[in-house]
Amino acid sequence: MKENGKVIQEHIAVSRSHMARERERRNKENYAYILAEERMAEQEEIRRRHERQKEVEEYRKEIKEKEELTKKIMILRNMYVKKYHDIIELSENFKDKNSFTLSSSYAVKLEELHLQMKVVDEKIKIGDITSVDLNIIVNLIHQIDEMHGMFKSEIDRINVQCERNLVGTENTVHSHTQLPVSESQELKNNQTISETVISEQIIQNTANNSENNNFQEYGDEEKQRNLQTDNISSDISQITSSTANIEENISKTELDKDHLYEYVDKDLLETYMNSQKFFENHVKMLDEFLLSAATKKFRFECQKAINIPVNAISGINQQHLKDKYERLYNLLMGKSWPDVNQYPQGAAFCKNILAKKIVNQGETLVSSKPKMAFPIAAIIVALWNDHSDFGDLLLSHFHNVCPFTVPIFMPKMVGQSNEDYYKLMGYKYDEDGTIEKHDKFLKRMSGLMRLYASITITIQRKGITKTNPHGLQNAWRWLAAILNIEPRKEVSDICATLLLDMLEVAGNTLWTAYPKQFHKLLILLSEEYYPRMKNVGCIGSGPLVRLDEFLRNSLSKGSIPAPDGQLPPDFW
């Protein structure tokens, strides 16, 4: 029995040893797997960052080149218009019938130049201008300049000849009217008084007939010249009508110097680009830190220290929310483990990871549970009070994932692929290149906008005298900016969705803070902006229908209810 017991114990010991070694092996494999997965994620992030940076740089370069090219073309087109007006003014000074033939020939030439200019106009409208178009317009300027010189020379020659003919005609008339007087004087000297009286009567009749004939001839010439002038005016009007679109197209192009600015406000675009630049510089600062093998474990621990409290944020009670805030606050301040002060870039790394994680909560959690936006927003504002750079990073992540939070609705640029355009708008693509479904895209963007809007209406926690670092004025600014953006069919659904999200979340607070102004804004939205959205949008579009219903109900009731889930002012 003792021997059997001893054998059993030895067997158990061997089994335990084997199990321990197996656990150790599995732990090593799991740790290796985690490290490998983290390495792959880091490499993928670096690759995406480089691709994004390359896209932004190429986009900026393209915008700058087109802007410079457009400026050059506009200067030349203004020169073209000036020469054109000079030709029209010169054509009004025609004084001879030959001018009709000349003006007709020049009208044909102007029409040819106009057709070439029209081709350039169309390219400018769609943003497809190149250096070839610049060469074309330079050639057009050269041709119209030559035409102007030749036209002016011909007009000067014709006008001089016309003046000479007019002077000759007047002299002829004058000589004919004076001839009878000379003859009567001669007869007076050679004949008797009786003969003189008879002769004077005859001469007077002759003089009257001669004068009438000459004045009739002169009158016929005047009528012919007047008729010729009418013909010239008619031909000039044909020239004007054939080139009327030139001025119209030029006026439009002057207003739309850059194709991009037709759809995007210049200041908002600058805000968006500055935000992206800030984010790029921040990530670039972390390059060595992210690539260092010595910081892998630290980064892994930081991600856990951030993900756990962020995933647990909720408005269950005051203590719960305060606990999550304090854990994140202590982490960023270097008062907990892991210690962000262990590395110079430790705090910057954690702030970036935290901002990215919170924005991701908007895409995933808030899009499914809108109430969760408010406790998350409370944590955001509390941390923003202490770390302004965290707030800037948060906005950069918002703008990167959802540029509509700026708000900015980018148009598709010439030569831009569909995939690049949709990615710029915020769509996601699967590994096989399949684009995200439209309804899922709208749901994600809705969650992000609700989280953003919740930040603007969040009240500071007890004992904090600072104002909200991204307060209600930003919700008002966003709505005002939307009203200045011309609706487009391709973004009508997303625009209506986000408008409704902003109004549902921030509408009650905005109406309380700006009662008269906000009421006017709602009327403007309902009576002017929404009809324009409806005209370009899809018939029966769900987002448009819901927005219309919300606006009608709000204006009829004279109020907007507080959003469901909003934390009370004294919650914490």
Side-chain angles (χ1 to χ4, degrees):
M1 291 292 293
K2 291 182 179 180
E3 292 179 356
N4 290 337
K6 186 177 181 180
V7 171
I8 292 173
Q9 289 179 355
E10 290 176 354
H11 181 71
I12 292 174
V14 171
S15 298
R16 287 178 177 176
S17 176
H18 179 72
M19 292 173 63
R21 288 195 300 271
E22 182 66 18
R23 281 197 301 270
E24 184 178 358
R25 184 185 65 80
R26 289 181 179 179
N27 288 337
K28 288 181 179 180
E29 288 181 352
N30 290 337
Y31 185 69
Y33 175 79
I34 292 173
L35 290 178
E37 195 173 39
E38 182 183 357
R39 188 183 302 108
M40 291 177 61
E42 290 172 355
Q43 292 175 350
E44 180 66 16
E45 181 64 22
I46 293 172
R47 184 186 65 81
R48 290 179 180 177
R49 185 170 66 251
H50 287 319
E51 288 181 352
R52 185 164 56 247
Q53 184 176 2
K54 184 179 179 181
E55 290 175 356
V56 171
E57 289 175 353
E58 291 177 351
Y59 179 74
R60 287 177 178 172
K61 183 179 179 181
E62 181 182 356
I63 292 296
K64 185 177 181 180
E65 289 176 351
K66 287 190 176 181
E67 184 177 6
E68 292 176 353
L69 192 59
T70 302
K71 288 180 180 179
K72 292 179 181 179
I73 288 179
M74 285 306 303
I75 292 173
L76 294 174
R77 296 181 86 253
N78 289 336
M79 293 172 60
Y80 179 92
V81 174
K82 186 178 184 304
K83 291 294 182 182
Y84 163 74
H85 283 300
D86 289 344
I87 291 176
I88 297 300
E89 290 178 3
L90 288 172
S91 66
E92 295 173 355
N93 296 324
F94 279 119
K95 295 182 179 180
D96 188 81
K97 61 183 180 180
N98 292 329
S99 62
F100 179 80
T101 304
L102 286 171
S103 62
S104 297
S105 64
Y106 281 106
V108 173
K109 185 63 177 178
L110 279 176
E111 177 66 19
E112 293 176 357
L113 297 181
H114 165 62
L115 292 176
Q116 295 181 56
M117 182 65 76
K118 191 174 182 180
V119 174
V120 178
D121 285 343
E122 293 300 324
K123 289 187 176 182
I124 293 175
K125 287 181 181 180
I126 63 175
D128 194 24
I129 54 175
T130 63
S131 57
V132 175
D133 300 309
L134 180 62
N135 294 333
I136 291 174
I137 201 168
V138 168
N139 185 44
L140 292 178
I141 293 294
H142 179 68
Q143 292 185 54
I144 200 170
D145 189 58
E146 287 184 348
M147 183 189 300
H148 176 267
M150 295 171 60
F151 198 47
K152 187 175 185 304
S153 298
E154 289 292 334
I155 290 175
D156 291 341
R157 183 185 62 79
I158 292 169
N159 288 343
V160 169
Q161 184 64 37
C162 184
E163 289 291 340
R164 289 176 180 174
N165 293 340
L166 182 60
V167 171
T169 302
E170 291 176 350
N171 290 336
T172 302
V173 173
H174 183 69
S175 63
H176 280 299
T177 56
Q178 293 297 322
L179 179 60
V181 177
S182 300
E183 291 177 351
S184 65
Q185 184 65 32
E186 182 178 358
L187 288 172
K188 283 181 181 179
N189 295 330
N190 297 323
Q191 296 179 354
T192 60
I193 296 175
S194 59
E195 291 175 342
T196 301
V197 172
I198 296 172
S199 297
E200 285 179 349
Q201 292 176 352
I202 295 172
I203 292 170
Q204 185 65 36
N205 291 334
T206 304
N208 289 336
N209 291 334
S210 176
E211 186 175 7
N212 289 335
N213 290 335
N214 282 285
F215 275 113
Q216 183 177 1
E217 181 181 356
Y218 180 76
D220 291 340
E221 288 184 5
E222 280 293 301
K223 289 181 180 179
Q224 187 175 4
R225 289 176 65 248
N226 289 336
L227 179 61
Q228 181 64 37
T229 302
D230 292 338
N231 290 333
I232 294 171
S233 300
S234 176
D235 193 63
I236 292 172
S237 66
Q238 292 177 2
I239 299 174
T240 305
S241 63
S242 68
T243 56
N245 289 332
I246 295 177
E247 290 182 271
E248 181 180 357
N249 291 335
I250 288 173
S251 298
K252 290 180 179 179
T253 306
E254 287 176 348
L255 292 174
D256 304 330
K257 288 186 176 181
D258 194 314
H259 171 66
L260 183 62
Y261 293 151
E262 293 181 8
Y263 308 101
V264 180
D265 180 81
K266 190 173 183 179
D267 292 336
L268 294 177
L269 180 61
E270 184 177 357
T271 298
Y272 174 74
M273 298 303 292
N274 289 339
S275 177
Q276 295 302 297
K277 186 65 176 179
F278 172 81
F279 176 72
E280 291 170 14
N281 291 337
H282 187 88
V283 174
K284 188 176 182 180
M285 178 185 66
L286 298 174
D287 278 345
E288 293 183 4
F289 178 80
L290 294 172
L291 295 174
S292 174
T295 63
K296 283 186 178 181
K297 185 176 180 181
F298 173 79
R299 285 183 277 120
F300 180 75
E301 296 297 336
C302 286
Q303 287 177 336
K304 286 200 305 181
I306 290 171
N307 290 341
I308 291 173
V310 171
N311 289 335
I313 293 175
S314 71
I316 296 176
N317 55 54
Q318 173 186 354
Q319 188 59 39
H320 177 84
L321 191 63
K322 188 176 181 180
D323 174 69
K324 303 305 172 284
Y325 161 69
E326 289 178 348
R327 292 176 65 177
L328 293 171
Y329 172 81
N330 290 333
L331 174 67
L332 297 182
M333 296 298 292
K335 296 181 179 180
S336 64
W337 187 87
D339 184 3
V340 296
N341 296 323
Q342 182 179 347
Y343 297 95
Q345 300 89 354
F349 171 77
C350 286
K351 290 173 184 177
N352 185 49
I353 293 297
L354 177 59
K356 182 178 180 180
K357 176 64 178 178
I358 287 176
V359 171
N360 181 258
Q361 290 292 88
E363 293 184 87
T364 55
L365 181 62
V366 179
S367 62
S368 301
K369 299 178 180 179
K371 294 181 182 180
M372 296 302 298
F374 300 102
I376 297 175
I379 297 292
I380 290 172
V381 172
L383 293 173
W384 201 331
N385 290 331
D386 306 313
H387 306 278
S388 60
D389 53 345
F390 161 73
D392 294 334
L393 277 170
L394 183 75
L395 289 178
S396 295
H397 280 283
F398 265 118
H399 297 164
N400 185 48
V401 179
C402 179
F404 314 113
T405 53
V406 176
I408 190 171
F409 296 81
M410 297 294 288
K412 184 178 180 182
M413 302 300 294
V414 176
Q416 187 179 29
S417 66
N418 288 335
E419 182 174 347
D420 290 340
Y421 172 62
Y422 285 120
K423 283 183 177 179
L424 190 63
M425 289 181 67
Y427 280 89
K428 289 185 176 181
Y429 276 78
D430 294 336
E431 293 181 357
D432 60 355
T434 303
I435 190 173
E436 178 182 23
K437 291 184 178 180
H438 186 60
D439 57 341
K440 290 185 177 180
F441 168 73
L442 291 179
K443 185 178 180 181
R444 278 197 309 110
M445 296 299 109
S446 176
L448 288 164
M449 179 52 66
R450 284 185 171 272
L451 179 56
Y452 175 79
S454 299
I455 295 172
T456 66
I457 67 169
T458 295
I459 299 175
Q460 294 281 18
R461 65 190 191 280
K462 297 176 184 178
I464 302 299
T465 58
K466 294 180 180 179
T467 58
N468 184 331
H470 199 74
L472 191 62
Q473 70 276 10
N474 290 281
W476 178 269
R477 177 196 58 79
W478 189 90
L479 287 169
I482 287 292
L483 291 176
N484 291 324
I485 298 175
E486 189 62 27
R488 309 199 318 266
K489 182 177 181 179
E490 61 268 27
V491 294
S492 60
D493 275 4
I494 184 64
C495 185
T497 298
L498 301 185
L499 264 173
L500 182 59
D501 289 326
M502 177 61 78
L503 292 173
E504 285 183 341
V505 174
N508 177 269
T509 307
L510 283 167
W511 210 325
T512 302
Y514 317 111
K516 293 182 179 180
Q517 298 92 327
F518 185 69
H519 183 256
K520 291 180 181 178
L521 185 143
L522 287 180
I523 294 175
L524 188 63
L525 271 173
S526 179
E527 297 181 0
E528 294 187 20
Y529 196 74
Y530 174 77
R532 286 155 56 195
M533 294 177 66
K534 187 178 179 181
N535 289 337
V536 301
C538 299
I539 299 176
S541 167
L544 287 172
V545 172
R546 288 190 290 272
L547 176 62
D548 182 39
E549 183 179 358
F550 177 86
L551 291 172
R552 291 177 182 275
N553 290 339
S554 299
L555 289 172
S556 63
K557 295 178 181 178
S559 64
I560 294 177
D564 191 18
Q566 184 178 12
L567 301 180
D570 58 347
F571 181 77
W572 70 317

